[in-house]
Amino acid sequence: MTVHLFVQFYFDEVALGLVNRGLPEEVVRPRVEAALKTCGLYPFRNWPVSALSYGQKKRVTIASILVLEPKIILLDEPTAGQDLYHYTQIMDFLAELNRRGTTVVLITHDMHLMLEYTPRAVVFHDGRVICDTSAAQVLNSPEIVATAHLKETSLYHLANLCGIDRREEFTRRFIAADREVRR
């Protein structure tokens, strides 16, 4: 009986936004199941929430938003507290959502995440946009890094120590090679 309550809670967690909108069960159930499939949670649909990993629980939260069919998802530090395996899993999942047409906006202090996963970086300082360009360009600009109080990356330091003039190109190629090795 306890497991049934957890399973129902899991479904209810994802369905809550649709239920609050007054949508009927015949609309809610297929949308919840589709969101669970999109988030890679469908095989675990009968598991109690307490049995899910930290990353899977984050996906339940994302599924509860996706079921509403948003055009944009805003995430604050989506990889916080995760090891490299789960970090990579959640970011690959978000990249897939983006490929399917959902705009994913990340707020992060993780410069490696920014370099590896974001084609566009918007940097704010004192409530104003100070830069809107590639992550590699942002993190290879001493002026932007200093103004926005960002942390200089080890790749920036390595390029400088090696006398590499084209630091952005070096950074992009290093990140691409690193991603390939890990796969």
mmCIF file of all heavy atoms in Angstrom, residues 117-168:
data_model
loop_
_atom_site.group_PDB
_atom_site.id
_atom_site.type_symbol
_atom_site.label_atom_id
_atom_site.label_comp_id
_atom_site.label_asym_id
_atom_site.label_seq_id
_atom_site.Cartn_x
_atom_site.Cartn_y
_atom_site.Cartn_z
ATOM 1 N N TYR A 117 28.743 23.294 -22.971
ATOM 2 C CA TYR A 117 27.359 23.095 -23.390
ATOM 3 C C TYR A 117 26.645 24.308 -23.951
ATOM 4 O O TYR A 117 25.535 24.160 -24.463
ATOM 5 C CB TYR A 117 26.539 22.548 -22.211
ATOM 6 C CG TYR A 117 26.888 21.127 -21.879
ATOM 7 C CD1 TYR A 117 27.785 20.830 -20.865
ATOM 8 C CD2 TYR A 117 26.330 20.069 -22.590
ATOM 9 C CE1 TYR A 117 28.112 19.517 -20.561
ATOM 10 C CE2 TYR A 117 26.648 18.760 -22.289
ATOM 11 C CZ TYR A 117 27.539 18.486 -21.274
ATOM 12 O OH TYR A 117 27.862 17.193 -20.980
ATOM 13 N N THR A 118 27.183 25.488 -23.836
ATOM 14 C CA THR A 118 26.423 26.648 -24.280
ATOM 15 C C THR A 118 27.027 27.299 -25.517
ATOM 16 O O THR A 118 28.176 27.713 -25.511
ATOM 17 C CB THR A 118 26.310 27.711 -23.165
ATOM 18 O OG1 THR A 118 27.620 28.148 -22.820
ATOM 19 C CG2 THR A 118 25.617 27.173 -21.951
ATOM 20 N N PRO A 119 26.250 27.397 -26.571
ATOM 21 C CA PRO A 119 26.742 28.091 -27.761
ATOM 22 C C PRO A 119 26.719 29.603 -27.602
ATOM 23 O O PRO A 119 27.384 30.327 -28.318
ATOM 24 C CB PRO A 119 25.769 27.647 -28.856
ATOM 25 C CG PRO A 119 24.516 27.309 -28.124
ATOM 26 C CD PRO A 119 24.939 26.809 -26.771
ATOM 27 N N ARG A 120 25.957 30.066 -26.621
ATOM 28 C CA ARG A 120 25.802 31.510 -26.418
ATOM 29 C C ARG A 120 25.854 31.803 -24.934
ATOM 30 O O ARG A 120 25.214 31.123 -24.138
ATOM 31 C CB ARG A 120 24.454 31.942 -26.980
ATOM 32 C CG ARG A 120 24.129 33.392 -26.792
ATOM 33 C CD ARG A 120 22.791 33.706 -27.419
ATOM 34 N NE ARG A 120 22.392 35.060 -27.106
ATOM 35 C CZ ARG A 120 21.153 35.482 -27.159
ATOM 36 N NH1 ARG A 120 20.182 34.658 -27.526
ATOM 37 N NH2 ARG A 120 20.858 36.723 -26.856
ATOM 38 N N ALA A 121 26.618 32.821 -24.570
ATOM 39 C CA ALA A 121 26.727 33.227 -23.176
ATOM 40 C C ALA A 121 26.372 34.707 -23.058
ATOM 41 O O ALA A 121 26.905 35.538 -23.783
ATOM 42 C CB ALA A 121 28.145 32.994 -22.657
ATOM 43 N N VAL A 122 25.458 34.990 -22.151
ATOM 44 C CA VAL A 122 25.078 36.369 -21.872
ATOM 45 C C VAL A 122 25.584 36.671 -20.465
ATOM 46 O O VAL A 122 25.238 35.965 -19.519
ATOM 47 C CB VAL A 122 23.549 36.569 -21.959
ATOM 48 C CG1 VAL A 122 23.178 38.013 -21.663
ATOM 49 C CG2 VAL A 122 23.027 36.134 -23.327
ATOM 50 N N VAL A 123 26.405 37.694 -20.350
ATOM 51 C CA VAL A 123 27.018 38.040 -19.070
ATOM 52 C C VAL A 123 26.393 39.327 -18.554
ATOM 53 O O VAL A 123 26.308 40.325 -19.276
ATOM 54 C CB VAL A 123 28.549 38.220 -19.219
ATOM 55 C CG1 VAL A 123 29.191 38.537 -17.874
ATOM 56 C CG2 VAL A 123 29.182 36.972 -19.838
ATOM 57 N N PHE A 124 25.970 39.266 -17.289
ATOM 58 C CA PHE A 124 25.367 40.424 -16.637
ATOM 59 C C PHE A 124 26.314 40.968 -15.575
ATOM 60 O O PHE A 124 27.040 40.213 -14.936
ATOM 61 C CB PHE A 124 24.055 40.034 -15.934
ATOM 62 C CG PHE A 124 22.956 39.651 -16.871
ATOM 63 C CD1 PHE A 124 22.860 38.359 -17.363
ATOM 64 C CD2 PHE A 124 22.013 40.580 -17.259
ATOM 65 C CE1 PHE A 124 21.845 38.001 -18.224
ATOM 66 C CE2 PHE A 124 20.988 40.232 -18.120
ATOM 67 C CZ PHE A 124 20.900 38.942 -18.607
ATOM 68 N N HIS A 125 26.281 42.285 -15.401
ATOM 69 C CA HIS A 125 27.005 42.938 -14.313
ATOM 70 C C HIS A 125 26.214 44.181 -13.925
ATOM 71 O O HIS A 125 25.827 44.968 -14.792
ATOM 72 C CB HIS A 125 28.425 43.311 -14.743
ATOM 73 C CG HIS A 125 29.197 44.018 -13.678
ATOM 74 N ND1 HIS A 125 29.596 43.394 -12.520
ATOM 75 C CD2 HIS A 125 29.617 45.293 -13.593
ATOM 76 C CE1 HIS A 125 30.238 44.261 -11.770
ATOM 77 N NE2 HIS A 125 30.265 45.431 -12.399
ATOM 78 N N ASP A 126 25.978 44.325 -12.638
ATOM 79 C CA ASP A 126 25.198 45.462 -12.126
ATOM 80 C C ASP A 126 23.853 45.619 -12.848
ATOM 81 O O ASP A 126 23.429 46.731 -13.176
ATOM 82 C CB ASP A 126 25.997 46.768 -12.236
ATOM 83 C CG ASP A 126 27.114 46.845 -11.206
ATOM 84 O OD1 ASP A 126 27.008 46.154 -10.165
ATOM 85 O OD2 ASP A 126 28.078 47.596 -11.448
ATOM 86 N N GLY A 127 23.213 44.469 -13.137
ATOM 87 C CA GLY A 127 21.886 44.500 -13.741
ATOM 88 C C GLY A 127 21.850 44.809 -15.221
ATOM 89 O O GLY A 127 20.778 45.010 -15.783
ATOM 90 N N ARG A 128 23.012 44.861 -15.854
ATOM 91 C CA ARG A 128 23.070 45.170 -17.292
ATOM 92 C C ARG A 128 23.804 44.066 -18.038
ATOM 93 O O ARG A 128 24.722 43.450 -17.510
ATOM 94 C CB ARG A 128 23.809 46.486 -17.525
ATOM 95 C CG ARG A 128 23.087 47.704 -16.987
ATOM 96 C CD ARG A 128 23.741 49.035 -17.389
ATOM 97 N NE ARG A 128 25.050 48.939 -17.998
ATOM 98 C CZ ARG A 128 26.197 49.287 -17.397
ATOM 99 N NH1 ARG A 128 26.186 49.749 -16.168
ATOM 100 N NH2 ARG A 128 27.346 49.182 -18.021
ATOM 101 N N VAL A 129 23.410 43.860 -19.290
ATOM 102 C CA VAL A 129 24.124 42.917 -20.145
ATOM 103 C C VAL A 129 25.423 43.583 -20.581
ATOM 104 O O VAL A 129 25.403 44.673 -21.152
ATOM 105 C CB VAL A 129 23.282 42.535 -21.386
ATOM 106 C CG1 VAL A 129 24.103 41.680 -22.346
ATOM 107 C CG2 VAL A 129 22.011 41.809 -20.982
ATOM 108 N N ILE A 130 26.548 42.934 -20.267
ATOM 109 C CA ILE A 130 27.835 43.503 -20.689
ATOM 110 C C ILE A 130 28.450 42.724 -21.844
ATOM 111 O O ILE A 130 29.405 43.186 -22.456
ATOM 112 C CB ILE A 130 28.841 43.602 -19.518
ATOM 113 C CG1 ILE A 130 29.173 42.231 -18.945
ATOM 114 C CG2 ILE A 130 28.334 44.556 -18.451
ATOM 115 C CD1 ILE A 130 30.379 42.244 -18.010
ATOM 116 N N CYS A 131 27.881 41.549 -22.124
ATOM 117 C CA CYS A 131 28.426 40.750 -23.210
ATOM 118 C C CYS A 131 27.401 39.708 -23.640
ATOM 119 O O CYS A 131 26.709 39.130 -22.804
ATOM 120 C CB CYS A 131 29.706 40.067 -22.737
ATOM 121 S SG CYS A 131 30.592 39.222 -24.039
ATOM 122 N N ASP A 132 27.300 39.469 -24.939
ATOM 123 C CA ASP A 132 26.419 38.451 -25.500
ATOM 124 C C ASP A 132 27.172 37.834 -26.665
ATOM 125 O O ASP A 132 27.168 38.371 -27.770
ATOM 126 C CB ASP A 132 25.100 39.091 -25.940
ATOM 127 C CG ASP A 132 24.105 38.083 -26.490
ATOM 128 O OD1 ASP A 132 24.475 36.902 -26.692
ATOM 129 O OD2 ASP A 132 22.952 38.479 -26.725
ATOM 130 N N THR A 133 27.853 36.723 -26.412
ATOM 131 C CA THR A 133 28.720 36.110 -27.409
ATOM 132 C C THR A 133 28.931 34.646 -27.052
ATOM 133 O O THR A 133 28.176 34.087 -26.259
ATOM 134 C CB THR A 133 30.060 36.901 -27.494
ATOM 135 O OG1 THR A 133 30.818 36.405 -28.591
ATOM 136 C CG2 THR A 133 30.860 36.809 -26.209
ATOM 137 N N SER A 134 29.968 34.034 -27.571
ATOM 138 C CA SER A 134 30.252 32.633 -27.248
ATOM 139 C C SER A 134 30.918 32.534 -25.875
ATOM 140 O O SER A 134 31.560 33.473 -25.410
ATOM 141 C CB SER A 134 31.179 32.019 -28.296
ATOM 142 O OG SER A 134 32.500 32.530 -28.150
ATOM 143 N N ALA A 135 30.756 31.375 -25.246
ATOM 144 C CA ALA A 135 31.383 31.145 -23.940
ATOM 145 C C ALA A 135 32.897 31.240 -24.051
ATOM 146 O O ALA A 135 33.563 31.805 -23.168
ATOM 147 C CB ALA A 135 30.970 29.785 -23.389
ATOM 148 N N ALA A 136 33.466 30.703 -25.122
ATOM 149 C CA ALA A 136 34.925 30.757 -25.300
ATOM 150 C C ALA A 136 35.412 32.194 -25.401
ATOM 151 O O ALA A 136 36.451 32.544 -24.837
ATOM 152 C CB ALA A 136 35.345 29.963 -26.536
ATOM 153 N N GLN A 137 34.661 33.047 -26.082
ATOM 154 C CA GLN A 137 35.064 34.455 -26.195
ATOM 155 C C GLN A 137 34.973 35.140 -24.834
ATOM 156 O O GLN A 137 35.867 35.891 -24.448
ATOM 157 C CB GLN A 137 34.216 35.182 -27.219
ATOM 158 C CG GLN A 137 34.714 36.601 -27.465
ATOM 159 C CD GLN A 137 33.986 37.280 -28.609
ATOM 160 O OE1 GLN A 137 33.139 36.684 -29.279
ATOM 161 N NE2 GLN A 137 34.310 38.540 -28.831
ATOM 162 N N VAL A 138 33.906 34.871 -24.088
ATOM 163 C CA VAL A 138 33.746 35.474 -22.760
ATOM 164 C C VAL A 138 34.921 35.107 -21.870
ATOM 165 O O VAL A 138 35.537 35.961 -21.239
ATOM 166 C CB VAL A 138 32.421 35.017 -22.094
ATOM 167 C CG1 VAL A 138 32.394 35.372 -20.617
ATOM 168 C CG2 VAL A 138 31.228 35.622 -22.809
ATOM 169 N N LEU A 139 35.242 33.816 -21.803
ATOM 170 C CA LEU A 139 36.243 33.339 -20.852
ATOM 171 C C LEU A 139 37.682 33.548 -21.312
ATOM 172 O O LEU A 139 38.614 33.265 -20.571
ATOM 173 C CB LEU A 139 35.980 31.874 -20.510
ATOM 174 C CG LEU A 139 34.654 31.687 -19.771
ATOM 175 C CD1 LEU A 139 34.362 30.216 -19.567
ATOM 176 C CD2 LEU A 139 34.653 32.427 -18.448
ATOM 177 N N ASN A 140 37.847 34.061 -22.522
ATOM 178 C CA ASN A 140 39.182 34.413 -22.994
ATOM 179 C C ASN A 140 39.357 35.918 -23.110
ATOM 180 O O ASN A 140 40.310 36.392 -23.709
ATOM 181 C CB ASN A 140 39.471 33.718 -24.332
ATOM 182 C CG ASN A 140 39.817 32.268 -24.131
ATOM 183 O OD1 ASN A 140 40.891 31.954 -23.631
ATOM 184 N ND2 ASN A 140 38.901 31.384 -24.474
ATOM 185 N N SER A 141 38.445 36.656 -22.514
ATOM 186 C CA SER A 141 38.540 38.110 -22.480
ATOM 187 C C SER A 141 38.841 38.550 -21.055
ATOM 188 O O SER A 141 37.962 38.527 -20.194
ATOM 189 C CB SER A 141 37.226 38.741 -22.949
ATOM 190 O OG SER A 141 37.230 40.128 -22.652
ATOM 191 N N PRO A 142 40.083 38.974 -20.779
ATOM 192 C CA PRO A 142 40.428 39.413 -19.428
ATOM 193 C C PRO A 142 39.537 40.554 -18.935
ATOM 194 O O PRO A 142 39.205 40.617 -17.750
ATOM 195 C CB PRO A 142 41.878 39.878 -19.551
ATOM 196 C CG PRO A 142 42.394 39.257 -20.799
ATOM 197 C CD PRO A 142 41.208 39.047 -21.690
ATOM 198 N N GLU A 143 39.101 41.418 -19.848
ATOM 199 C CA GLU A 143 38.260 42.549 -19.465
ATOM 200 C C GLU A 143 36.883 42.076 -18.978
ATOM 201 O O GLU A 143 36.387 42.525 -17.950
ATOM 202 C CB GLU A 143 38.091 43.528 -20.647
ATOM 203 C CG GLU A 143 39.377 44.172 -21.124
ATOM 204 C CD GLU A 143 40.199 43.254 -22.057
ATOM 205 O OE1 GLU A 143 39.639 42.308 -22.657
ATOM 206 O OE2 GLU A 143 41.415 43.475 -22.138
ATOM 207 N N ILE A 144 36.267 41.166 -19.732
ATOM 208 C CA ILE A 144 34.946 40.656 -19.342
ATOM 209 C C ILE A 144 35.053 39.860 -18.049
ATOM 210 O O ILE A 144 34.240 40.027 -17.138
ATOM 211 C CB ILE A 144 34.327 39.797 -20.469
ATOM 212 C CG1 ILE A 144 34.041 40.659 -21.694
ATOM 213 C CG2 ILE A 144 33.042 39.112 -19.979
ATOM 214 C CD1 ILE A 144 33.673 39.860 -22.937
ATOM 215 N N VAL A 145 36.064 39.004 -17.962
ATOM 216 C CA VAL A 145 36.265 38.186 -16.757
ATOM 217 C C VAL A 145 36.420 39.078 -15.532
ATOM 218 O O VAL A 145 35.798 38.845 -14.492
ATOM 219 C CB VAL A 145 37.474 37.238 -16.932
ATOM 220 C CG1 VAL A 145 37.878 36.600 -15.618
ATOM 221 C CG2 VAL A 145 37.155 36.162 -17.972
ATOM 222 N N ALA A 146 37.216 40.128 -15.660
ATOM 223 C CA ALA A 146 37.442 41.026 -14.528
ATOM 224 C C ALA A 146 36.182 41.821 -14.185
ATOM 225 O O ALA A 146 35.803 41.920 -13.015
ATOM 226 C CB ALA A 146 38.598 41.974 -14.837
ATOM 227 N N THR A 147 35.529 42.373 -15.195
ATOM 228 C CA THR A 147 34.339 43.194 -14.956
ATOM 229 C C THR A 147 33.216 42.395 -14.297
ATOM 230 O O THR A 147 32.564 42.877 -13.374
ATOM 231 C CB THR A 147 33.826 43.804 -16.279
ATOM 232 O OG1 THR A 147 34.869 44.599 -16.852
ATOM 233 C CG2 THR A 147 32.595 44.673 -16.050
ATOM 234 N N ALA A 148 33.000 41.168 -14.774
ATOM 235 C CA ALA A 148 31.898 40.345 -14.270
ATOM 236 C C ALA A 148 32.297 39.501 -13.063
ATOM 237 O O ALA A 148 31.489 38.733 -12.560
ATOM 238 C CB ALA A 148 31.379 39.448 -15.378
ATOM 239 N N HIS A 149 33.535 39.639 -12.617
ATOM 240 C CA HIS A 149 34.044 38.874 -11.472
ATOM 241 C C HIS A 149 33.930 37.372 -11.711
ATOM 242 O O HIS A 149 33.539 36.614 -10.829
ATOM 243 C CB HIS A 149 33.322 39.263 -10.178
ATOM 244 C CG HIS A 149 33.348 40.729 -9.909
ATOM 245 N ND1 HIS A 149 34.494 41.395 -9.522
ATOM 246 C CD2 HIS A 149 32.370 41.670 -10.008
ATOM 247 C CE1 HIS A 149 34.226 42.683 -9.376
ATOM 248 N NE2 HIS A 149 32.952 42.868 -9.674
ATOM 249 N N LEU A 150 34.281 36.969 -12.947
ATOM 250 C CA LEU A 150 34.288 35.558 -13.287
ATOM 251 C C LEU A 150 35.642 34.960 -12.920
ATOM 252 O O LEU A 150 36.633 35.682 -12.766
ATOM 253 C CB LEU A 150 34.026 35.362 -14.785
ATOM 254 C CG LEU A 150 32.706 35.899 -15.308
ATOM 255 C CD1 LEU A 150 32.655 35.791 -16.829
ATOM 256 C CD2 LEU A 150 31.547 35.151 -14.681
ATOM 257 N N LYS A 151 35.685 33.671 -12.832
ATOM 258 C CA LYS A 151 36.940 32.983 -12.526
ATOM 259 C C LYS A 151 37.657 32.680 -13.833
ATOM 260 O O LYS A 151 37.068 32.134 -14.761
ATOM 261 C CB LYS A 151 36.642 31.678 -11.773
ATOM 262 C CG LYS A 151 37.875 30.933 -11.377
ATOM 263 C CD LYS A 151 37.533 29.664 -10.626
ATOM 264 C CE LYS A 151 38.825 28.941 -10.294
ATOM 265 N NZ LYS A 151 38.578 27.604 -9.796
ATOM 266 N N GLU A 152 38.924 33.046 -13.887
ATOM 267 C CA GLU A 152 39.711 32.693 -15.060
ATOM 268 C C GLU A 152 39.847 31.179 -15.113
ATOM 269 O O GLU A 152 40.061 30.521 -14.100
ATOM 270 C CB GLU A 152 41.103 33.333 -14.997
ATOM 271 C CG GLU A 152 41.083 34.823 -15.195
ATOM 272 C CD GLU A 152 42.484 35.427 -15.184
ATOM 273 O OE1 GLU A 152 43.446 34.758 -14.774
ATOM 274 O OE2 GLU A 152 42.607 36.602 -15.586
ATOM 275 N N THR A 153 39.724 30.627 -16.309
ATOM 276 C CA THR A 153 39.795 29.176 -16.451
ATOM 277 C C THR A 153 41.240 28.709 -16.581
ATOM 278 O O THR A 153 42.133 29.463 -16.977
ATOM 279 C CB THR A 153 39.013 28.701 -17.686
ATOM 280 O OG1 THR A 153 39.668 29.191 -18.861
ATOM 281 C CG2 THR A 153 37.564 29.152 -17.643
ATOM 282 N N SER A 154 41.448 27.444 -16.278
ATOM 283 C CA SER A 154 42.781 26.858 -16.434
ATOM 284 C C SER A 154 43.170 26.816 -17.907
ATOM 285 O O SER A 154 44.356 26.909 -18.233
ATOM 286 C CB SER A 154 42.831 25.460 -15.820
ATOM 287 O OG SER A 154 41.830 24.637 -16.375
ATOM 288 N N LEU A 155 42.209 26.717 -18.802
ATOM 289 C CA LEU A 155 42.521 26.729 -20.232
ATOM 290 C C LEU A 155 43.061 28.090 -20.669
ATOM 291 O O LEU A 155 43.977 28.174 -21.490
ATOM 292 C CB LEU A 155 41.277 26.381 -21.058
ATOM 293 C CG LEU A 155 40.804 24.942 -20.956
ATOM 294 C CD1 LEU A 155 39.503 24.758 -21.726
ATOM 295 C CD2 LEU A 155 41.861 23.985 -21.449
ATOM 296 N N TYR A 156 42.514 29.147 -20.112
ATOM 297 C CA TYR A 156 43.019 30.490 -20.396
ATOM 298 C C TYR A 156 44.470 30.604 -19.933
ATOM 299 O O TYR A 156 45.339 31.088 -20.664
ATOM 300 C CB TYR A 156 42.130 31.533 -19.709
ATOM 301 C CG TYR A 156 42.631 32.950 -19.853
ATOM 302 C CD1 TYR A 156 42.412 33.656 -21.027
ATOM 303 C CD2 TYR A 156 43.328 33.570 -18.815
ATOM 304 C CE1 TYR A 156 42.874 34.965 -21.167
ATOM 305 C CE2 TYR A 156 43.790 34.870 -18.953
ATOM 306 C CZ TYR A 156 43.566 35.554 -20.124
ATOM 307 O OH TYR A 156 44.025 36.844 -20.278
ATOM 308 N N HIS A 157 44.726 30.136 -18.712
ATOM 309 C CA HIS A 157 46.092 30.180 -18.176
ATOM 310 C C HIS A 157 47.048 29.316 -19.004
ATOM 311 O O HIS A 157 48.171 29.736 -19.289
ATOM 312 C CB HIS A 157 46.126 29.738 -16.709
ATOM 313 C CG HIS A 157 45.557 30.745 -15.781
ATOM 314 N ND1 HIS A 157 46.141 31.970 -15.560
ATOM 315 C CD2 HIS A 157 44.440 30.713 -15.015
ATOM 316 C CE1 HIS A 157 45.411 32.655 -14.699
ATOM 317 N NE2 HIS A 157 44.374 31.919 -14.352
ATOM 318 N N LEU A 158 46.604 28.124 -19.383
ATOM 319 C CA LEU A 158 47.448 27.228 -20.187
ATOM 320 C C LEU A 158 47.790 27.869 -21.527
ATOM 321 O O LEU A 158 48.951 27.842 -21.958
ATOM 322 C CB LEU A 158 46.743 25.887 -20.384
ATOM 323 C CG LEU A 158 47.496 24.846 -21.206
ATOM 324 C CD1 LEU A 158 48.832 24.487 -20.534
ATOM 325 C CD2 LEU A 158 46.635 23.604 -21.397
ATOM 326 N N ALA A 159 46.803 28.448 -22.193
ATOM 327 C CA ALA A 159 47.050 29.109 -23.480
ATOM 328 C C ALA A 159 48.061 30.238 -23.320
ATOM 329 O O ALA A 159 48.971 30.388 -24.146
ATOM 330 C CB ALA A 159 45.741 29.639 -24.059
ATOM 331 N N ASN A 160 47.927 31.013 -22.250
ATOM 332 C CA ASN A 160 48.883 32.098 -22.005
ATOM 333 C C ASN A 160 50.282 31.560 -21.746
ATOM 334 O O ASN A 160 51.265 32.073 -22.283
ATOM 335 C CB ASN A 160 48.434 32.968 -20.835
ATOM 336 C CG ASN A 160 47.340 33.935 -21.230
ATOM 337 O OD1 ASN A 160 47.198 34.272 -22.402
ATOM 338 N ND2 ASN A 160 46.562 34.369 -20.271
ATOM 339 N N LEU A 161 50.384 30.528 -20.902
ATOM 340 C CA LEU A 161 51.699 29.943 -20.579
ATOM 341 C C LEU A 161 52.380 29.356 -21.809
ATOM 342 O O LEU A 161 53.607 29.382 -21.917
ATOM 343 C CB LEU A 161 51.569 28.863 -19.508
ATOM 344 C CG LEU A 161 51.263 29.343 -18.097
ATOM 345 C CD1 LEU A 161 50.956 28.159 -17.185
ATOM 346 C CD2 LEU A 161 52.452 30.137 -17.547
ATOM 347 N N CYS A 162 51.590 28.833 -22.731
ATOM 348 C CA CYS A 162 52.143 28.227 -23.946
ATOM 349 C C CYS A 162 52.321 29.236 -25.079
ATOM 350 O O CYS A 162 52.782 28.873 -26.168
ATOM 351 C CB CYS A 162 51.242 27.085 -24.416
ATOM 352 S SG CYS A 162 51.189 25.687 -23.293
ATOM 353 N N GLY A 163 51.953 30.472 -24.834
ATOM 354 C CA GLY A 163 52.098 31.514 -25.849
ATOM 355 C C GLY A 163 51.127 31.360 -27.010
ATOM 356 O O GLY A 163 51.426 31.770 -28.129
ATOM 357 N N ILE A 164 49.988 30.789 -26.751
ATOM 358 C CA ILE A 164 48.982 30.600 -27.802
ATOM 359 C C ILE A 164 48.204 31.909 -27.963
ATOM 360 O O ILE A 164 47.571 32.382 -27.029
ATOM 361 C CB ILE A 164 48.025 29.435 -27.451
ATOM 362 C CG1 ILE A 164 48.831 28.133 -27.365
ATOM 363 C CG2 ILE A 164 46.886 29.337 -28.458
ATOM 364 C CD1 ILE A 164 48.055 26.950 -26.831
ATOM 365 N N ASP A 165 48.280 32.464 -29.157
ATOM 366 C CA ASP A 165 47.614 33.736 -29.425
ATOM 367 C C ASP A 165 46.115 33.560 -29.648
ATOM 368 O O ASP A 165 45.324 34.417 -29.257
ATOM 369 C CB ASP A 165 48.221 34.422 -30.650
ATOM 370 C CG ASP A 165 49.654 34.875 -30.412
ATOM 371 O OD1 ASP A 165 49.978 35.223 -29.254
ATOM 372 O OD2 ASP A 165 50.446 34.856 -31.372
ATOM 373 N N ARG A 166 45.746 32.484 -30.289
ATOM 374 C CA ARG A 166 44.335 32.246 -30.604
ATOM 375 C C ARG A 166 43.715 31.421 -29.477
ATOM 376 O O ARG A 166 43.387 30.254 -29.637
ATOM 377 C CB ARG A 166 44.216 31.564 -31.954
ATOM 378 C CG ARG A 166 44.711 32.483 -33.063
ATOM 379 C CD ARG A 166 44.745 31.905 -34.437
ATOM 380 N NE ARG A 166 43.858 30.783 -34.664
ATOM 381 C CZ ARG A 166 44.021 29.921 -35.655
ATOM 382 N NH1 ARG A 166 45.024 30.060 -36.491
ATOM 383 N NH2 ARG A 166 43.190 28.917 -35.809
ATOM 384 N N ARG A 167 43.525 32.069 -28.319
ATOM 385 C CA ARG A 167 43.034 31.374 -27.119
ATOM 386 C C ARG A 167 41.616 30.840 -27.285
ATOM 387 O O ARG A 167 41.300 29.763 -26.803
ATOM 388 C CB ARG A 167 43.112 32.307 -25.909
ATOM 389 C CG ARG A 167 44.542 32.628 -25.482
ATOM 390 C CD ARG A 167 44.581 33.456 -24.209
ATOM 391 N NE ARG A 167 43.837 34.694 -24.286
ATOM 392 C CZ ARG A 167 44.371 35.875 -24.596
ATOM 393 N NH1 ARG A 167 45.659 35.974 -24.850
ATOM 394 N NH2 ARG A 167 43.625 36.950 -24.628
ATOM 395 N N GLU A 168 40.777 31.601 -27.956
ATOM 396 C CA GLU A 168 39.395 31.130 -28.153
ATOM 397 C C GLU A 168 39.376 29.832 -28.952
ATOM 398 O O GLU A 168 38.672 28.881 -28.597
ATOM 399 C CB GLU A 168 38.564 32.173 -28.898
ATOM 400 C CG GLU A 168 38.200 33.370 -28.071
ATOM 401 C CD GLU A 168 37.460 34.394 -28.917
ATOM 402 O OE1 GLU A 168 36.501 33.993 -29.622
ATOM 403 O OE2 GLU A 168 37.841 35.569 -28.865
#
